[in-house]
Amino acid sequence: MDFLDQILIYPLQQLPFFLITIVIAFTVHEFAHAYFANKFGDPTARLLGRMTLNPAVHFDLFGIILLLIAGFGWARPVPVNRDNFSRPRLMGVIVSAAGPLSNFLLGILGALIYAVLFATGVMDSITNDQLLKAIYFFFNMFIPFNFFLFLFNLIPLPPLDGYRIVEDIAPRPIRGRLQQYEQYTVFLFLLIIFIPGLRGYTIEPLFIWAANMGSDFLRMFTSLFGYSGV
């Protein structure tokens, strides 16, 4: 157990809540891509069985293991064929943005549910300390993690959704240049992820912004319900 505590980014007692969080966050993210791609005329993801909320279809085992150990991982990307869209660039932007926006909405939903638990007195009525800790751990992972995925995936570097959005909205000459240098920008992305000095100025601030977003929405919802105890 001590060995696992040393290699995992979260303590073992918090690990189940983190696993539940990533299962929901990654599954909904990839489903959103597949759903809108199919809606706009590209059945590729649906035909491959990816337009589903079954987590097993979307998870990449190595990506999840790396996420648990190094704090960086991935799900299986949904294949999209923009040639099937009647308006490839516009619909491509919507399909790419659907994933991050789904995480944004999950973060808001999590904050709303957590606020309701406080405002209705449910949290105050719970006498079981273990249950209270479980609820606390879950929502305090689920809310900021989804906001983090929203922000992180909007970074305009491949293979992230933000890059695909920029690629779709850029004029043709610029789009050609982006594709020409894509392999080098992927390398830049990896440097940002794995070099602590760069990560500290690029990725890590996103965790702070995500936590602040979660706190702001939670305060907003609790104040709407007339509760100020959070």
Side-chain angles (χ1 to χ4, degrees):
M1 291 298 182
D2 290 339
F3 172 72
L4 289 177
D5 274 328
Q6 290 176 2
I7 66 171
L8 297 174
I9 61 171
Y10 283 106
L12 283 177
Q13 64 173 350
Q14 298 180 24
L15 188 60
F17 309 107
F18 182 62
L19 288 173
I20 295 171
T21 292
I22 62 176
V23 164
I24 297 173
F26 281 8
T27 300
V28 173
H29 181 108
E30 299 303 332
F31 170 80
H33 286 313
Y35 174 82
F36 280 97
N38 184 71
K39 187 177 181 64
F40 292 146
D42 175 28
T44 306
R46 176 174 58 81
L47 294 175
L48 292 172
R50 299 296 305 279
M51 200 174 80
T52 176
L53 289 173
N54 177 4
V57 174
H58 301 294
F59 269 42
D60 181 288
L61 180 60
F62 181 71
I64 299 305
I65 292 174
L66 194 60
L67 179 64
L68 295 176
I69 295 175
F72 169 73
W74 56 83
R76 291 175 57 205
V78 166
V80 176
N81 185 353
R82 283 165 167 73
D83 292 336
N84 290 323
F85 298 153
S86 58
R87 302 178 66 183
R89 295 177 66 181
L90 174 61
M91 293 176 176
V93 168
I94 296 173
V95 170
S96 295
L101 286 175
S102 72
N103 293 122
F104 180 74
L105 293 175
L106 282 175
I108 292 177
L109 179 62
L112 176 61
I113 294 173
Y114 201 27
V116 168
L117 292 178
F118 279 104
T120 56
V122 171
M123 295 296 286
D124 293 331
S125 66
I126 296 175
T127 56
N128 186 312
D129 288 342
Q130 293 302 315
L131 177 58
L132 202 60
K133 286 182 179 179
I135 296 173
Y136 172 84
F137 282 141
F138 173 70
F139 282 103
N140 280 276
M141 283 188 184
F142 184 85
I143 297 170
F145 185 78
N146 274 286
F147 283 129
F148 171 77
L149 282 185
F150 164 69
L151 296 170
F152 177 75
N153 278 284
L154 291 179
I155 295 175
L157 289 173
L160 300 176
D161 297 318
Y163 174 78
R164 300 303 168 196
I165 293 172
V166 170
E167 188 179 39
D168 279 325
I169 65 177
R172 188 179 300 275
I174 296 178
R175 191 160 66 251
R177 288 289 183 87
L178 289 173
Q179 293 169 348
Q180 180 182 355
Y181 294 107
E182 185 170 324
Q183 58 181 328
Y184 302 109
T185 48
V186 169
F187 181 66
L188 174 61
F189 170 74
L190 294 175
L191 289 178
I192 289 173
I193 290 295
F194 290 109
I195 295 180
L198 293 175
R199 181 177 175 136
Y201 289 100
T202 54
I203 305 301
E204 291 181 6
L206 298 183
F207 287 103
I208 299 173
W209 296 345
N212 290 338
M213 289 174 69
S215 297
D216 290 342
F217 274 106
L218 184 58
R219 280 195 297 267
M220 181 185 74
F221 288 134
T222 52
S223 65
L224 286 176
F225 295 130
Y227 185 87
S228 58
V230 178

